[in-house]
Amino acid sequence: MEEYNHKIIESQWQKKWLEDKEFEPKEDFSLPKKYILSMFPYPSGSIHMGHVRNYCIGDALARYYRQRGFNVLHPIGWDSFGMPAENAAIKHRLHPKDWTYSNIDAMRKELASLGLSFSLEREFATSDEDYTRWEQEFFVKMWEAGLIYRKKAYLNWCENDQTVLANEQVIDGKCWRCDTPVVQKEMEQYYIKITDFAEDLLQDLNLLEGKWPQQVLNMQKNWIGKSSGLQFAFEIEKKWAEKLGIDEVEVFTTRPETIFGVSYCAIAPEHQLVQAMMPYLNKEEQDKILEMTNMNARSRAIAQKEGVKLGISLIHPLSKEGIPVWVANFVLADYGSGALMGVPAHDERDYEFASLYSLPIRKVIECEDLPFCDEGILCNSSTFDGLPTQEARQKVIAWFEEHQKGRGVVNYRLKDWGISRQRYWGTPIPLVHCSTCGIVPESNLPVTLPYDVIIDGEGNPLQKHLEWKKCLCPKCHKEAVRETDTMDTFMESSWYFLRYTTPKAKRNETALDPQSMRYWLGVDEYIGGVEHAILHLLYARFWTKVLDRLGEIELKEPFEHLLTQGMVLKDGVKMSKSKGNIVDPNGIVRDFGADSARLFILFAAPPTKELEWSDSALEGAYRFLKRLWERSKNIKPSDSIPCVQTQGLSQESKLARKKVYEALKKSQEIFDKQMAGYPFNTLISSCMEALNALSHQDNQEVWSEGYYILLNLLEPIVPHLSHHLSEKYFGRKNFGILEIDEGALEDESLHIVVSVNGKKRAEVEVPKTASKEEILLIAKESVDKWIDKEVSKEIYVPSKLVNFVLK
Ligand code: ANZ
Ligand code: ZN
């Protein structure tokens, strides 16, 4: 028999699959369907182990469901806009478009070498012009529906480079390129009204309960951050109100019942009252406030607490006492109303701030130690004394509403999504600025990017492309100017999974084919890294709801099930370029083959857990495939399920059949019952045990039946070798639905614990009739990888335990 040669087998089958278009979904909508999707990659240039893991998990599912007769959509594409392409342009003088598309070509080949069963006809890149076109159409529809608007906002700005910086480009408050201190500059930005959908996004998390990891549901819930409370205004004392032309300060509180504990009011440095008060402050105070505004929200949150006293008094709505106003760096400008009532006795932050500036601390809930942030009984609160906090909360809100001084409100931490980017390599925002008509949507879509741009890292290249900017107003046909902002790339990844459902033939006439969507959606299993738990998944859910509202689709939630894969580690830390601990998948595929790589990846850990890279485990995977290859010589070729005469079988053969059917049962449990997290590793070890058990018996029918089933079970994991052996021995159409032989599962064996140097390493099952020698042999094979020295003693406790003592 020839040697196992993964190179020949794998290239042969990959070629055949391509020729036969094996993995294209069928247009027959009467078939049961599965839509299996692994998150699409950013085309950085080469795949890494995280990709391999992500796509092997998805591929195992896709292949399994195909075996079971489902019509499977398993597509791949490229999230191809974004900053790295522009950085490459600056660094290597490559055009972002050329760089991106050559990366895609390279990565497509790498993925193909893993034997992944993607539909190639459905592939696209989000920078393709016919994707841009439809995205811009959706943008215009949202603009016209009032879901996109323009407003001023503070952005990170580098004065030296004259450019806006993303948060990631601000390092220790300085520009990543030139070290100039970054300032906050107010600029016009486009926003999409995700806050309009906050309640739906929150409520519909209930539909995903039990189908998405709880951790992800919690993260989304916290990100949306619903809180209810009281919104009311403090009046500004008369003399200042007249001077400033502002007569009140609105605040939001989730603890209205602590109203008598207020000892100051804190406002954000951006608050309009601060602007109005600036001329009355001294230089030192002004500088301190400017310093606060020049920090972005993220840095401010971790900074030391700081405040500036404004020297104005507010009037407490109930006690009529004077309350001082402070500007404080921990108050967010865009949450609630950008101002809060400080209750140091019952809030950590307020306590810290009050202690820092020696402000009064007034206890209004009975307690021993301050700050006390729990529920309790009110005190020092006039008519509310003695009430439990929860009841008092309602009563205080009622008082404010009755006296028309405030109202109960719901606030969300979620903010509208700023989608403008001042960069070249993105989807152009399809709007035109006309001096007569204002902002007008472009009617001739797509607006495509000009190729001839100068990318030098200074400012937005589109801004400097005067010819491209020049256009005619779609309304009045006079000269106008194009918008030069491009969209956040999260816009593209928010609907790519919808686009896949539309077959190529229909993609010119429509963005999303309704009939195809009705059939394919939602995505039955979505697989990706937990780093996308918030933004991408929230935006994709949001777009789904927007398109549903606009009548483009009928869908509440896009992803029925979500599997978040664990990280790939090496020596205990995340495998990453920056850590210099990368294992290159291409080398693995070359030396061991795609099947070994896939087997290792799915065997080394369950998909949701961290996976520690191990060369020896990879070699172990390779050895198993070699064994599978070599022992296949025992098969008696047939073109149907081999039939076994069960009467008179030896104990060993019975055990082998039992092991084989246990593996089959495991496979059905994992896939058909969608066992949480799909523990393929347990299926693989069952298959390994079954192969071992088959090897300890010599009935050729049992061999053949066992192989027939094992090749079926292993096909989603090691497709090349499984196909190869199946074709060789059973004709091509091996893979189908298998029935469990319950009789084979009945127990006629002993369970024996196997340890090495007293440490438990495995458990084996042996026939009740096995001799001591046979048991020792089976036991030794099961702990093979732990026996790295000579065995000095074999201890056998009959029917229970074997211990190997090493020298
Ligand atoms: C008085 C109070 C007393 C508060 C107390 C808390 C405890 P969540 O729950 O996250 O919604 N707050 C209001 N506006 C703010 C802003 N713009 N920036 C920072 N903090 C702000 O937070 C609501 C609470 O955060 C509000 O309730 C307010 O402080 C503060 F014992 O009001 B509270
Ligand atoms: Zn016009």
Side-chain angles (χ1 to χ4, degrees):
M1 191 173 181
E2 327 127 59
E3 289 237 346
Y4 169 48
N5 185 328
H6 62 83
K7 285 205 176 99
I8 294 176
I9 295 173
E10 292 180 0
S11 69
Q12 230 172 33
W13 281 94
Q14 285 168 17
K15 199 162 145 245
K16 187 162 177 48
W17 291 330
L18 200 64
E19 281 167 8
D20 297 352
K21 301 193 172 180
E22 277 272 315
F23 309 126
E24 298 308 328
K26 298 180 193 72
E27 285 299 301
D28 179 355
F29 294 169
S30 64
L31 296 169
K33 70 92 188 181
K34 288 279 179 188
Y35 182 179
I36 306 296
L37 185 62
S38 293
M39 289 179 185
F40 68 166
Y42 176 78
S44 58
S46 53
I47 58 169
H48 54 68
M49 278 302 165
H51 290 129
V52 175
R53 193 172 193 198
N54 193 218
Y55 299 120
C56 286
I57 295 167
D59 202 52
L61 292 166
R63 285 179 177 273
Y64 179 82
Y65 292 121
R66 272 191 216 102
Q67 282 185 23
R68 301 288 283 189
F70 286 89
N71 189 11
V72 173
L73 176 58
H74 183 223
I76 181 82
W78 311 94
D79 189 10
S80 55
F81 272 137
M83 229 169 23
E86 266 171 87
N87 295 343
I90 297 164
K91 237 171 138 180
H92 309 297
R93 302 190 166 279
L94 292 166
H95 194 281
K97 184 170 183 178
D98 302 337
W99 183 83
T100 302
Y101 282 88
S102 81
N103 284 351
I104 289 176
D105 286 340
M107 288 173 73
R108 186 189 296 113
K109 284 200 194 94
E110 293 181 331
L111 289 181
S113 76
L114 284 165
L116 301 168
S117 65
F118 292 127
S119 154
L120 296 180
E121 283 177 7
R122 306 230 167 189
E123 183 193 315
F124 60 82
T126 55
S127 52
D128 293 349
E129 287 180 5
D130 79 326
Y131 194 77
T132 294
R133 170 184 163 198
W134 298 111
E135 186 158 305
Q136 289 174 336
E137 284 210 0
F138 287 138
F139 180 99
V140 169
K141 282 180 181 158
M142 292 182 205
W143 174 264
E144 284 169 346
L147 288 170
I148 296 178
Y149 63 94
R150 202 166 185 238
K151 98 174 172 195
K152 276 195 168 171
Y154 285 93
L155 294 179
N156 303 311
W157 178 258
C158 172
E159 203 49 62
N160 181 50
D161 291 341
Q162 288 288 303
T163 190
V164 172
L165 300 172
N167 281 333
E168 295 73 26
Q169 298 171 317
V170 181
I171 296 162
D172 295 332
K174 293 186 190 134
C175 171
W176 65 313
R177 291 184 63 234
C178 67
D179 271 348
T180 307
V182 171
V183 294
Q184 296 293 299
K185 186 174 170 179
E186 214 180 17
M187 290 175 64
E188 297 270 17
Q189 293 285 294
Y190 293 93
Y191 283 87
I192 177 164
K193 277 192 189 162
I194 192 170
T195 53
D196 257 25
F197 292 77
E199 191 59 31
D200 282 350
L201 287 167
L202 181 67
Q203 288 311 322
D204 288 350
L205 290 174
N206 291 329
L207 303 174
L208 305 172
E209 209 65 54
K211 302 177 179 180
W212 280 31
Q214 194 56 47
Q215 179 206 8
V216 176
L217 294 176
N218 292 344
M219 285 163 86
Q220 294 236 337
K221 194 171 164 204
N222 291 336
W223 187 263
I224 296 167
K226 180 179 182 173
S227 48
S228 28
L230 169 70
Q231 180 131 349
F232 72 95
F234 284 108
E235 269 172 50
I236 297 179
E237 58 179 326
K238 221 178 188 124
K239 70 169 201 234
W240 277 107
E242 278 164 7
K243 226 189 266 185
L244 303 170
I246 303 174
D247 48 17
E248 54 180 37
V249 178
E250 187 113 39
V251 298
F252 168 68
T253 174
T254 48
R255 303 289 304 264
E257 74 279 17
T258 62
I259 184 82
F260 282 94
V262 177
S263 56
Y264 62 93
C265 167
I267 64 179
E270 292 87 353
H271 199 278
Q272 60 152 174
L273 184 58
V274 183
Q275 308 307 320
M277 276 302 289
M278 272 303 200
Y280 303 97
L281 301 177
N282 65 33
K283 176 89 173 56
E284 197 188 327
E285 291 164 335
Q286 289 175 349
D287 285 350
K288 211 160 157 193
I289 291 172
L290 274 176
E291 205 181 298
M292 289 183 200
T293 32
N294 275 339
M295 265 169 119
N296 63 30
R298 215 190 280 183
S299 340
R300 241 193 257 167
I302 48 175
Q304 188 68 24
K305 294 217 168 24
E306 255 195 300
V308 173
K309 191 175 176 179
L310 280 188
I312 325 175
S313 260
L314 307 178
I315 303 159
H316 191 288
L318 284 138
S319 71
K320 305 293 176 197
E321 261 179 83
I323 305 283
V325 182
W326 284 73
V327 183
N329 63 345
F330 65 88
V331 185
L332 306 168
D334 48 7
Y335 187 64
S337 45
L340 59 83
M341 62 181 215
V343 184
H346 304 295
D347 181 82
E348 302 272 355
R349 261 181 337 188
D350 295 350
Y351 187 83
E352 202 185 314
F353 191 76
S355 311
L356 193 65
Y357 293 107
S358 309
L359 301 169
I361 296 175
R362 302 193 178 120
K363 178 165 119 176
V364 290
I365 304 171
E366 299 282 7
C367 61
E368 308 249 298
D369 301 318
L370 292 179
F372 175 80
C373 306
D374 251 327
E375 306 291 340
I377 303 293
L378 260 64
C379 58
N380 305 323
S381 298
S382 164
T383 53
F384 301 101
D385 277 358
L387 290 177
T389 36
Q390 282 168 9
E391 197 183 325
R393 198 167 300 154
Q394 300 316 318
K395 292 239 157 97
V396 171
I397 293 176
W399 185 90
F400 273 90
E401 288 184 339
E402 206 174 295
H403 294 80
Q404 298 195 338
K405 285 179 185 253
R407 63 205 163 87
V409 291
V410 171
N411 253 312
Y412 298 91
R413 205 150 273 282
L414 183 68
K415 291 182 212 132
D416 276 343
W417 173 15
I419 52 165
S420 295
R421 296 293 179 268
Q422 289 69 29
R423 285 195 287 272
Y424 166 71
W425 191 236
T427 306
I429 289 184
L431 295 173
V432 163
H433 299 267
C434 169
S435 54
T436 316
C437 315
I439 301 181
V440 184
E442 179 57 79
S443 50
N444 186 17
L445 298 177
V447 177
T448 56
L449 292 168
Y451 186 81
D452 58 335
V453 281
I454 299 157
I455 297 171
D456 51 15
E458 284 170 28
N460 179 355
L462 293 175
Q463 188 90 56
K464 292 184 273 184
H465 200 301
L466 302 180
E467 213 176 305
W468 182 82
K469 271 167 66 176
K470 217 161 64 182
C471 65
L472 295 180
C473 167
K475 230 176 174 173
C476 71
H477 309 289
K478 279 192 248 154
E479 279 214 352
V481 183
R482 258 185 217 304
E483 174 59 61
T484 55
D485 283 358
T486 53
M487 297 183 207
D488 180 0
T489 58
F490 276 114
M491 291 285 270
E492 286 87 71
S493 52
S494 292
W495 69 286
Y496 78 107
F497 52 91
L498 301 173
R499 178 70 168 170
Y500 283 140
T501 63
T502 304
K504 206 145 235 170
K506 290 195 178 161
R507 284 187 185 168
N508 243 330
E509 72 202 54
T510 180
L512 303 171
D513 174 48
Q515 225 193 335
S516 305
M517 281 197 298
R518 215 165 294 134
Y519 174 67
W520 287 114
L521 293 168
V523 174
D524 293 283
E525 196 68 56
Y526 195 34
I527 305 133
V530 75
E531 66 274 19
H532 299 294
I534 300 179
L535 295 183
H536 162 57
L537 289 170
L538 190 71
Y539 293 148
R541 294 182 60 224
F542 164 56
W543 261 71
T544 303
K545 291 180 190 305
V546 170
L547 293 179
D548 183 283
R549 188 190 282 184
L550 293 176
E552 298 287 324
I553 62 176
E554 292 163 52
L555 190 67
K556 279 200 141 174
E557 285 294 330
F559 311 119
E560 281 290 315
H561 269 253
L562 175 71
L563 188 151
T564 46
Q565 70 183 61
M567 279 192 299
V568 182
L569 312 178
K570 179 134 192 282
D571 310 318
V573 292
K574 184 179 174 178
M575 207 184 255
S576 76
K577 235 185 211 157
S578 58
K579 301 234 168 58
N581 62 352
I582 294 276
V583 177
D584 176 21
N586 298 303
I588 304 297
V589 170
R590 188 187 55 232
D591 299 341
F592 296 90
D595 282 342
S596 293
R598 298 172 60 122
L599 183 66
F600 162 72
I601 284 273
L602 296 179
F603 184 44
T608 56
K609 296 276 153 53
E610 290 179 337
L611 183 154
E612 173 70 37
W613 183 264
S614 151
D615 291 324
S616 65
L618 174 70
E619 285 157 23
Y622 182 76
R623 277 200 307 275
F624 172 72
L625 295 183
K626 228 176 118 180
R627 247 189 334 265
L628 193 67
W629 166 269
E630 281 158 6
R631 292 181 190 172
S632 69
K633 65 175 185 283
N634 297 313
I635 304 172
K636 187 169 105 193
S638 76
D639 48 17
S640 60
I641 295 196
C643 188
V644 175
Q645 188 57 256
T646 51
Q647 264 154 350
L649 279 184
S650 70
Q651 286 302 323
E652 290 82 358
S653 295
K654 278 190 191 161
L655 178 65
R657 290 193 79 229
K658 180 176 172 216
K659 284 286 162 194
V660 167
Y661 280 102
E662 274 175 4
L664 174 57
K665 196 168 165 193
K666 177 120 276 163
S667 161
Q668 294 181 357
E669 275 168 6
I670 292 175
F671 291 102
D672 298 349
K673 299 192 183 140
Q674 295 189 305
M675 197 185 256
Y678 300 103
F680 301 121
N681 55 323
T682 61
L683 169 61
I684 296 168
S685 60
S686 280
C687 290
M688 291 176 167
E689 280 178 36
L691 184 65
N692 275 343
L694 283 170
S695 312
H696 291 109
Q697 59 87 48
D698 52 15
N699 181 312
Q700 209 187 18
E701 284 171 356
V702 173
W703 263 113
S704 303
E705 178 201 39
Y707 250 82
Y708 188 92
I709 292 172
L710 285 184
L711 294 178
N712 261 278
L713 301 184
L714 288 169
E715 192 271 345
I717 296 158
V718 292
H720 308 86
L721 182 56
S722 301
H723 273 269
H724 183 87
L725 294 177
S726 276
E727 179 177 70
K728 187 163 169 192
Y729 296 106
F730 304 114
R732 238 204 105 191
K733 287 283 158 227
N734 174 18
F735 305 118
I737 299 169
L738 298 170
E739 301 282 339
I740 291 175
D741 177 356
E742 295 291 342
L745 288 172
E746 273 158 29
D747 207 7
E748 301 218 28
S749 50
L750 300 172
H751 298 260
I752 297 200
V753 171
V754 190
S755 44
V756 179
N757 282 342
K759 189 157 188 194
K760 180 181 162 182
R761 293 298 190 184
E763 244 173 87
V764 294
E765 274 175 64
V766 294
K768 284 201 170 118
T769 54
S771 67
K772 180 180 169 188
E773 283 67 38
E774 286 166 336
I775 290 172
L776 288 176
L777 211 68
I778 295 170
K780 197 163 178 187
E781 188 159 338
S782 75
V783 292
D784 198 28
K785 65 173 157 176
W786 286 282
I787 299 190
D788 48 6
K789 288 186 213 96
E790 208 178 309
V791 175
S792 63
K793 212 156 99 193
E794 294 168 338
I795 301 163
Y796 177 53
V797 182
S799 309
K800 285 216 174 76
L801 180 126
V802 179
N803 183 29
F804 295 99
V805 181
L806 306 186
K807 265 202 178 134

